[in-house]
Amino acid sequence: MSKVLVIAEHDGVMLNPSTAKTVACAASINGAIVDIAVFAATAGPIASEAAKLASIARVVTYERSENKHALAAVIAPQIVAVAGEYTHIFGPSTTFGKDLMPRVAALLGVNQISDIMSVESSHIFKRPVYAGSAIATVEAPMDTILVATVRIASYSAVTSNNSALIESGSPSVVDIPTHTRFIEVKSGATDRPDLQTATKVVSGGRALASAENFDIIYKLADKLGAGVGASRAAVDAGYVPNEMQVGQTGKIIAPDLYMAIGISGAIQHLTGIKDAGTIVAINKDEEAPIFEVADIGLVADLFTAIPELTEALD
Amino acid sequence: MDNNDPLPLGARSNEVEKILVGLKRVVDYNVRVRVKSDGSDVETDGVKMSINPFDEIALEEALRIKERGDASEVIVISVGTVDAQQQLRTGLAMGADHAILVESDSSVDPLGLAQTFKSIIDRDGIDLVILGKQAIDDDNSQTAQMLSAIWGRPQATFASKLDIAGNKATVTREVDAGLEVIEIDLPAVISTDLRMNEPRYVKLPDIMKARKKPLELIAMADLGIDQGPEIKSVMFEPPLERERGVMVNDVASLVAVLKEKGLA
Ligand SMILES: Cc1cc2nc3c(=O)[nH]c(=O)nc-3n(C[C@H](O)[C@H](O)[C@H](O)COP(=O)(O)OP(=O)(O)OC[C@H]3O[C@@H](n4cnc5c(N)ncnc54)[C@H](O)[C@@H]3O)c2cc1C
């Protein structure tokens, strides 16, 4: 029987929505018992949120001051110390999980499965390779612990109707490394919906040509109540901050509506939006590859079309 | 700090003496990769191969550190078939001092790679390892984290900025929330994100010069590495393709379709 430990992602205050999606993946293993572990300085509110998630058996909290920031070097040995009880350890394939889980796997002496997109059996999974140009079916050995990250865009969050047991786990690791120290996080925090969970996303590309011009993208997004994303070219050019990049090496998202504006549709970008509900493309080049995947395409100059669209949505 | 090193870290002119950089030979990012009809793998025959783009950035960063006088030697390493010598030669032409090919005909999982790099760290006395944050073929994003784990050293993944001062480094990391800054003690493992730097172009004379630089061949089997339990790739299939949708002629029609779908 499978017993899965899901590592909660949080910012010290709130549970990240990636956790509910990771739980959805874990719970899709036949007959699995799923626990959530919260490593935090103060786990209280995070654990209460986690305990509401459907399909989980219990939440175990590991509180210590060193866990204030999610440093892989600090948290990995603590996970390893409690791994013995479990057959699987899952984390989200966000920068948090991608940083942490391979460190856990290596300390446990096993390889890791990255970006699970579907569960075929307790030890067989599908995952994308080559920027999503191929889907690989991979099989992990049955006789060792299985460590994996979950491609969160492939899963819908489990509902929050549970009231699972919250236990405080006894931290058994005495030796927490001090060689890695958190300094700060700089984020262009906005009131807009979070890119990874927004139901609508408007993204701009290189065509915007400046940070100022991106304003028309923000205006449209605000009209739609959408999050804002960007292509790598737009981020590289400094029009928008890195956390807005969508794609193979940015965020993989699955909104109901994705609008690609002045984005050509390179494979590395498309891999980030494959699971979107409806893709709208606005591009002045009718040959742009983005139109091959768009549900609705409009050949137009964005500098006239976008203000017009924003206006028309009143 | 390690057996092969004559002087302890603080006593040397450079805090970072040797930098190890991984160079993986991968299908070039411009190639449209296709799955073989029997589902056994993707088609790599006759396809353009290149250095993994993230690894090129890793090498560029190492070279800049050396050129600033903060390190004295840059070693590039690849694990793979003899063909990977091509990518190592490119690395030498970019400016690396020494190349190592660990020859293996079968694919090596990230844990095996990490063990391989670790054995070179132990042998050569490496102070800093810079790897790409992921390889664009298997998209695993694991090796740097695994190497730092088994080495018992700090990891700074998805780095876009690296400042070395004495035996510490300050690293800016591209994370989902924005930019995270951490401080780490050296030795350490860094994994590079795309915006760390722009790799230099190789010039013809450098290619000629690179031919004289040492390229060392080691058989994977001779390292006696325990690669850990293997994760088998059972089958490959093409992804579900999205279908081409409708084209609308103007903004008004776009709004109409969006409204009809309940999206606006
Ligand atoms: C290893 C690697 C990883 C990568 N990862 C990512 C990733 O995660 N995400 C990502 O996005 N990219 C990624 N890329 C880059 C990717 O290959 C493309 O270069 C990038 O997506 C292009 O961005 P773009 O579409 O904005 O720019 P371009 O390709 O330059 O396209 C601009 C588009 O705007 C259109 N246009 C211009 N002016 C107007 C106008 N006035 N009105 C309407 N349309 C206009 C043009 O017709 C064109 O189609 C990666 C590349 C590599 C090598």
Side-chain angles (χ1 to χ4, degrees):
Chain A
M1 197 190 43
S2 304
K3 202 166 172 214
V4 189
L5 182 65
V6 168
I7 310 302
E9 174 171 10
H10 60 83
D11 61 3
V13 185
M14 268 168 28
L15 189 67
N16 188 292
S18 65
T19 307
K21 298 185 177 196
T22 308
V23 167
C25 172
S28 71
I29 298 173
N30 222 335
I33 295 175
V34 183
D35 285 353
I36 296 180
V38 179
F39 294 88
T42 320
I46 304 160
S48 326
E49 274 309 301
K52 290 186 197 149
L53 297 179
S55 337
I56 67 152
R58 56 174 192 153
V59 175
V60 192
T61 60
Y62 298 93
E63 295 185 298
R64 57 192 301 161
S65 57
E66 294 93 333
N67 293 347
K68 188 155 192 287
H69 303 287
L71 295 169
V74 168
I75 296 175
Q78 299 177 63
I79 297 174
V80 170
V82 299
E85 268 189 66
Y86 297 93
T87 56
H88 299 62
I89 305 186
F90 282 8
S93 188
T94 54
T95 52
F96 161 77
K98 285 197 237 183
D99 183 47
L100 173 63
M101 302 310 285
R103 190 160 183 121
V104 173
L107 292 176
L108 289 167
V110 295
N111 274 294
Q112 183 199 268
I113 296 177
S114 297
D115 308 315
I116 292 178
M117 55 190 289
S118 85
V119 171
E120 305 297 304
S121 78
S122 67
H123 288 74
I124 302 180
F125 305 89
K126 289 191 180 184
R127 61 174 303 262
V129 292
Y130 292 90
S133 298
I135 307 301
T137 301
V138 294
E139 180 171 9
M142 296 284 287
D143 53 356
T144 58
I145 191 162
L146 195 157
V147 179
T149 60
V150 174
R151 182 178 183 275
I152 57 172
S154 299
Y155 290 90
S156 306
V158 292
T159 50
S160 284
N161 56 2
N162 197 353
S163 50
L165 204 68
I166 302 177
E167 284 172 28
S168 89
S170 43
S172 52
V173 184
V174 252
D175 225 5
I176 300 283
T178 54
H179 53 49
T180 306
R181 296 166 294 272
F182 174 88
I183 298 185
E184 60 174 332
V185 174
K186 299 180 234 174
S187 62
T190 66
D191 302 336
R192 292 192 180 85
D194 172 58
L195 185 54
Q196 268 161 320
T197 47
T199 53
K200 296 174 185 171
V201 171
V202 180
S203 281
R206 193 198 308 273
L208 270 300
S210 75
E212 294 73 46
N213 288 346
F214 235 84
D215 223 40
I216 61 174
I217 300 290
Y218 292 121
K219 284 197 178 116
L220 172 59
D222 291 346
K223 205 50 148 322
L224 287 162
V228 180
S231 70
R232 173 187 167 189
V235 177
D236 283 0
Y239 307 158
V240 293
N242 67 285
E243 63 265 31
M244 283 170 56
Q245 181 173 318
V246 171
Q248 180 188 22
T249 53
K251 288 177 179 158
I252 312 278
I253 58 173
D256 297 337
L257 172 66
Y258 185 77
M259 300 190 72
I261 296 166
I263 292 178
S264 59
I267 170 111
Q268 294 87 2
H269 187 80
L270 299 184
T271 190
I273 57 169
K274 280 211 162 117
D275 298 293
T278 299
I279 297 178
V280 174
I282 299 178
N283 196 303
K284 70 174 182 191
D285 173 11
E286 60 179 324
E287 306 274 305
I290 188 77
F291 288 125
E292 284 164 36
V293 300
D295 299 284
I296 313 171
L298 172 63
V299 178
D301 188 318
L302 72 91
F303 292 107
T304 53
I306 300 308
E308 199 185 327
L309 176 59
T310 309
E311 188 73 35
L313 286 172
D314 266 325
Chain B
M1 46 162 287
D2 39 49
N3 323 333
N4 307 14
D5 236 81
L7 293 169
L9 237 133
R12 301 182 307 203
S13 54
N14 289 327
E15 301 288 2
V16 174
E17 201 71 20
K18 293 182 186 177
I19 307 178
L20 182 69
V21 173
L23 293 188
K24 187 175 188 184
R25 173 182 166 90
V26 297
V27 172
D28 187 84
Y29 78 95
N30 278 312
V31 173
R32 254 202 136 112
V33 174
R34 300 202 187 280
V35 174
K36 286 185 179 167
S37 52
D38 66 358
S40 62
D41 202 345
V42 300
E43 192 57 71
T44 52
D45 275 358
V47 156
K48 184 180 178 205
M49 303 297 282
S50 302
I51 298 178
N52 178 42
F54 293 94
D55 301 351
E56 243 182 320
I57 293 169
L59 176 54
E60 177 64 36
E61 194 66 19
L63 295 173
R64 290 184 190 186
I65 294 168
K66 185 187 161 189
E67 285 158 6
R68 280 202 301 268
D70 285 339
S72 55
E73 191 181 348
V74 175
I75 304 169
V76 285
I77 182 167
S78 195
V79 179
T81 62
V82 285
D83 296 334
Q85 287 183 76
Q86 215 182 320
Q87 280 65 40
L88 289 171
R89 285 282 170 216
T90 306
L92 291 170
M94 277 177 73
D97 301 290
H98 178 126
I100 304 171
L101 174 65
V102 179
E103 241 187 285
S104 168
D105 283 330
S106 50
S107 85
V108 179
D109 278 336
L111 186 59
L113 280 177
Q115 309 273 18
T116 307
F117 294 166
K118 175 66 167 49
S119 72
I120 300 300
I121 289 171
D122 293 342
R123 190 195 72 169
D124 291 359
I126 303 290
D127 310 298
L128 180 65
V129 179
I130 313 183
L131 304 176
K133 82 160 177 181
Q134 73 196 74
I136 60 164
D137 48 7
D138 56 35
D139 280 332
N140 268 325
S141 194
Q142 299 175 6
T143 307
Q145 298 88 313
M146 289 188 161
L147 174 58
S148 38
I150 59 176
W151 194 10
R153 296 305 309 165
Q155 66 187 46
T157 52
F158 327 139
S160 60
K161 194 163 182 285
L162 168 63
D163 291 310
I164 294 172
N167 57 2
K168 291 186 176 53
T170 306
V171 186
T172 302
R173 307 178 54 230
E174 292 202 359
V175 295
D176 290 338
L179 295 172
E180 181 188 87
V181 183
I182 60 172
E183 184 188 69
I184 54 175
D185 295 337
L186 299 176
V189 182
I190 312 290
S191 88
T192 60
D193 219 312
L194 292 168
R195 279 170 284 273
M196 188 166 221
N197 59 51
E198 242 181 89
R200 66 197 62 190
Y201 286 101
V202 173
K203 295 184 229 61
L204 194 61
D206 298 328
I207 298 174
M208 308 305 287
K209 258 192 279 170
R211 291 202 184 134
K212 297 197 196 80
K213 289 185 178 175
L215 196 161
E216 183 187 352
L217 294 178
I218 304 174
M220 183 79 186
D222 290 349
L223 291 174
I225 280 161
D226 170 15
Q227 295 192 31
E230 185 197 359
I231 290 179
K232 287 198 197 77
S233 291
V234 185
M235 181 186 73
F236 293 85
E237 61 195 311
L240 288 175
E241 292 295 348
R242 293 187 71 102
E243 278 173 35
R244 210 187 166 97
V246 298
M247 296 300 286
V248 292
N249 291 324
D250 49 32
V251 169
S253 324
L254 173 59
V255 173
V257 184
L258 286 176
K259 290 218 159 116
E260 192 187 299
K261 289 181 170 249
L263 291 167

